[in-house]
Amino acid sequence: MEMISFNIDTGYLEGVVRGYRSSLLQSHHYQSLTQCETLDDFKMQLQATDYGNFLQNEPSPLSTSTIADKATRKLVAEFEYLRTNAAYPLNRFLDYMTYAYMIDNVILLITGTLHDRDTHDLLARCHPLGVFDTLPALCVASTVSELYHSVLVETPLAPYFRDCLSASDLDDLNIEIIRNTLYKAYLEDFHAFCQSLGGTTAHTMGELLSFEADRRTINITINSFGTSLSKEERARLFPTIGRLFPAGNNVLAKADELEQVKNVCDQIPQYRGFFEGSSAMAGGGAEASADMLEDKMFKLEVQLNRILTITQFQFGIFYAWLKLKEQEIRSITWIAECIAQNARDRISDFIPPL
């Protein structure tokens, strides 16, 4: 019965998103792209893929920022087609997927207001998936308090702000604490919604959102070392979902060094590889270590999304496709930047989504 009802309401859009997934670049496409000598050659190689002539109106010389922007806009157009044609509860699920981008956009505007920057200029830097009808209205705010009340009333993020933060918090708290507080509320809310849908969606999204929650918990822990953030404040930023919750979270809340984080991650089979060669990571400096850990997390994220797109009759395919497509855009942007900078020795240092 679940399969029949799913197909009636969502079968067509599931077919569309599976078509999107099948058009992701394959290994031979990346091989051709890495062999390009110029960005004009790069553009011609992309024309033979699903990207087609998306750069045809762009004059030479191309920039990597233009390639990334146009690829992102193609992604947004595909996502909006899905959302425009979706019925409840899929349309609500797709809305949830955009809230993470909304958080980043609103944080960008808050940062601009705190530093007296022209928020209109910041609008151009907002991610298009996080743009909502009333976002430009936030630009009329001249103080943090005005911006807070605009966010509270005018945006879909209102419950997260109302339940977690006050206007004075925006002045007093570090911007990353605000971001992580909002993300915690968002992930817990999205997870609860997916669990309420039940069935295969609850299982697949439970897997994906648990990883996202754990990734944030690990990063918050490591980034708080050597800062003024207290251990009690750190613990309050951890999402109350994920494989690390509650026992791992309790240990990480009190951790003082990387080795303790490694010991916690070693308890989760999928996370054991995060700190392999941790001594080498530490020897490369904090920035190099963070980059290596981020790459390993991206690789696991790709693996999880790739596996879970195989399962049918569930909403996780929509989430997984978006994440894989974003990784593809990061990969082609990296290759393009290496070509532009003539950094051929690093051109293969990307993570293919397939």
Side-chain angles (χ1 to χ4, degrees):
M1 180 61 71
E2 178 187 355
M3 179 179 70
I4 295 173
S5 61
F6 185 94
N7 276 335
I8 291 173
D9 297 329
T10 315
Y12 166 69
L13 291 180
E14 185 190 15
V16 171
V17 79
R18 289 191 179 280
Y20 289 165
R21 185 200 180 281
S22 66
S23 67
L24 291 171
L25 299 182
Q26 305 292 319
S27 58
H28 66 277
H29 293 130
Y30 288 109
Q31 184 176 7
S32 297
L33 291 174
T34 56
Q35 292 174 353
C36 293
E37 296 293 332
T38 67
L39 289 185
D40 285 333
D41 292 341
F42 186 87
K43 172 182 173 180
M44 291 181 61
Q45 288 295 334
L46 279 178
Q47 287 178 351
T49 71
D50 186 63
Y51 283 97
N53 295 322
F54 81 121
L55 294 171
Q56 65 179 352
N57 296 322
E58 299 302 321
S60 295
L62 272 177
S63 68
T64 54
S65 60
T66 296
I67 294 170
D69 177 66
K70 292 295 183 180
T72 299
R73 293 192 180 279
K74 182 178 185 299
L75 162 64
V76 171
E78 292 171 346
F79 178 86
E80 290 300 342
Y81 178 83
L82 296 171
R83 185 157 61 161
T84 300
N85 289 280
Y88 187 84
L90 178 59
N91 59 352
R92 183 81 174 110
F93 178 88
L94 296 175
D95 285 343
Y96 265 109
M97 287 170 55
T98 66
Y99 291 170
Y101 304 97
M102 290 184 189
I103 290 173
D104 288 339
N105 287 350
V106 170
I107 290 293
L108 182 65
L109 293 179
I110 291 173
T111 303
T113 302
L114 285 171
H115 293 89
D116 297 320
R117 293 174 185 157
D118 185 351
T119 47
H120 290 84
D121 293 337
L122 294 174
L123 280 175
R125 295 172 52 195
C126 288
H127 194 290
L129 277 181
V131 171
F132 43 89
D133 291 341
T134 54
L135 183 65
L138 301 185
C139 292
V140 303
S142 58
T143 67
V144 172
S145 179
E146 287 179 10
L147 182 57
Y148 171 81
H149 289 293
S150 297
V151 169
L152 192 60
V153 174
E154 300 290 347
T155 80
L157 304 179
Y160 308 143
F161 273 87
R162 183 176 60 245
D163 296 341
C164 303
L165 297 165
S166 67
S168 61
D169 287 333
L170 301 192
D171 280 318
D172 299 335
L173 289 178
N174 179 284
I175 198 68
E176 285 305 310
I177 295 178
I178 297 170
R179 188 197 305 273
N180 285 315
T181 300
L182 294 173
Y183 261 101
K184 166 184 160 67
Y186 159 65
L187 286 173
E188 291 170 355
D189 188 29
F190 193 8
H191 183 268
F193 174 75
C194 292
Q195 294 307 301
S196 73
L197 297 176
T200 309
T201 294
H203 171 71
T204 57
M205 287 306 299
E207 290 275 315
L208 295 172
L209 293 177
S210 288
F211 166 73
E212 184 59 35
D214 290 343
R215 170 161 58 181
R216 300 196 73 83
T217 295
I218 294 167
N219 283 330
I220 289 167
T221 302
I222 295 173
N223 292 335
S224 67
F225 291 161
T227 70
S228 60
L229 187 71
S230 72
K231 292 179 179 179
E232 292 77 15
E233 290 171 325
R234 180 201 300 176
R236 286 197 291 271
L237 298 177
F238 294 166
T240 56
I241 59 173
R243 293 182 179 85
L244 296 176
F245 177 79
N249 283 18
N250 291 337
V251 176
L252 291 176
K254 303 170 185 175
D256 293 307
E257 56 186 25
L258 195 63
E259 188 64 25
Q260 293 169 285
V261 183
K262 177 183 182 300
N263 291 338
V264 170
C265 290
D266 282 347
Q267 303 304 310
I268 310 296
Q270 288 178 308
Y271 301 165
R272 284 176 188 160
F274 285 170
F275 295 94
E276 286 182 358
S278 56
S279 58
M281 290 170 64
E287 187 174 343
S289 298
D291 289 343
M292 290 178 65
L293 179 59
E294 183 180 44
D295 282 349
K296 290 179 179 182
M297 288 180 169
F298 272 133
K299 287 177 181 177
L300 177 57
E301 181 183 43
V302 164
Q303 179 183 347
L304 292 173
N305 285 310
R306 188 188 300 152
I307 292 171
L308 292 177
T309 56
I310 298 172
T311 309
Q312 293 182 298
F313 312 118
Q314 49 93 17
F315 290 169
I317 174 66
F318 296 89
Y319 181 94
W321 160 74
L322 181 64
K323 294 296 183 180
L324 292 173
K325 190 68 176 179
E326 286 187 319
Q327 184 58 47
E328 177 179 275
I329 293 171
R330 280 191 289 268
S331 296
I332 65 173
T333 303
W334 174 267
I335 296 170
E337 187 64 31
C338 287
I339 293 171
Q341 300 294 331
N342 197 27
R344 310 294 307 183
D345 57 322
R346 301 194 62 193
I347 201 168
S348 296
D349 294 347
F350 61 91
I351 303 169
L354 294 181

